[in-house]
Amino acid sequence: MSDWKKEISDKFASIDARRMEIHKPLYALLQELKNEPSIRAVDFDLISEHPLVWSVTINGKTEQINESDVEYSQRPYTDPSDSEISEDKRDVAEVLKEILVRKFK
């Protein structure tokens, strides 16, 4: 059997890296949003690590952002007529902006 301990450890290290890859830009975007005149309150919290889920509250409205939402948006289809997924990942911050607009529209 392969090194089972390393496999488990690597999986959790990967999850932790992905958490930070999303958490840092989400924090920065929400801090930027706080400066808008009509925004009274912004808060967010990591509510689940397995799967990764954040709760975001803006002016009393709460929505969830899942890692799967980010992952799906990062890998757009190369052509809408086929189901081939592009290998190029989109920027996490840009994807988060789109998700925030969609959820808080």
Side-chain angles (χ1 to χ4, degrees), residues 38-84:
S38 64
I39 304 301
R40 296 181 312 278
V42 175
D43 190 30
F44 85 116
D45 192 29
L46 179 68
I47 59 173
S48 172
E49 291 212 30
H50 307 285
L52 289 168
V53 180
W54 288 262
S55 174
V56 177
T57 303
I58 301 172
N59 288 353
K61 181 179 180 182
T62 302
E63 294 285 343
Q64 289 186 351
I65 295 177
N66 302 303
E67 190 275 336
S68 59
D69 296 334
V70 176
E71 178 67 24
Y72 178 78
S73 295
Q74 275 189 290
R75 296 186 181 270
Y77 291 101
T78 53
D79 185 323
S81 64
D82 64 20
S83 298
E84 206 170 300

Side-chain angles (χ1 to χ4, degrees), residues 1-2 5 17 19-20 22-23 25 30 33-34 36 42-43 47 49-51 59 63 71 75 86 92 94 96-97:
M1 177 170 236
S2 64
K5 294 179 285 188
R19 179 179 54 82
M20 292 311 296
I22 296 171
H23 194 89
L30 293 174
L33 185 62
K34 280 183 178 180
E36 290 298 308
V42 175
D43 190 30
I47 59 173
E49 291 212 30
H50 307 285
N59 288 353
E63 294 285 343
E71 178 67 24
R75 296 186 181 270
S86 172
V92 172
E94 291 304 313
L96 286 169
K97 288 176 190 176

